[in-house]
Amino acid sequence: MTIKRIHTGSPFEAKIGYCRAVVAGGFVHVAGTVGQGDDVAAQCRSALDTIKNALAEAGSGFEKAVRVNYYLPDASEFEACWPVLTEVFGDNPPAATMVECNLIDPKYRIEIELTCLA
């Protein structure tokens, strides 16, 4: 099986020892991704932009998403992301889970992990 690793150049990839996405076995597995912005909706959109770029490099896209996990330190903020998620996934929504948990830094309001068909 061929494995392709996709790096974004983030300093955390080298520090922590991971890559943004791995293409293997017919799937693209995207690592948990945070975004920048002043609120959860802006961070959600920013994270999805980073994911979109990784998927493009992998030859995939959101229309091939099969599974998504959302991690938020405050579950009550998730509803603010719904319009962004509906816009991105449109008619091709993946199976989804939202988990309330701590993230690596309190400034992050959402982390998104995605699996797509390659």
Side-chain angles (χ1 to χ4, degrees):
M1 170 177 29
T2 302
I3 296 176
K4 177 180 179 181
R5 298 181 199 294
I6 297 170
H7 298 273
T8 62
S10 164
F12 293 105
E13 291 176 8
K15 286 180 183 179
I16 298 171
Y18 77 99
C19 57
R20 176 62 44 217
V22 175
V23 183
F27 290 94
V28 183
H29 304 274
V30 182
T33 304
V34 296
Q36 303 301 312
D38 293 332
D39 61 31
V40 69
Q43 289 186 20
C44 180
R45 186 172 299 282
S46 175
L48 289 167
D49 287 344
T50 299
I51 292 169
K52 178 181 177 181
N53 292 337
L55 291 175
E57 188 172 337
S60 189
F62 289 121
E63 73 281 359
K64 294 182 179 181
V66 295
R67 183 83 182 145
V68 64
N69 295 314
Y70 304 105
Y71 305 98
L72 291 91
D74 183 350
S76 71
E77 292 186 325
F78 190 45
E79 189 171 352
C81 298
W82 296 355
V84 176
L85 301 173
T86 301
E87 175 188 326
V88 168
F89 293 110
D91 294 333
N92 304 292
T97 300
M98 192 283 297
V99 177
E100 184 177 62
C101 63
N102 291 325
L103 299 181
I104 196 165
D105 188 309
K107 71 181 176 184
Y108 297 121
R109 307 311 307 154
I110 188 168
E111 184 169 341
I112 304 170
E113 178 182 50
L114 184 72
T115 303
C116 290
L117 294 175

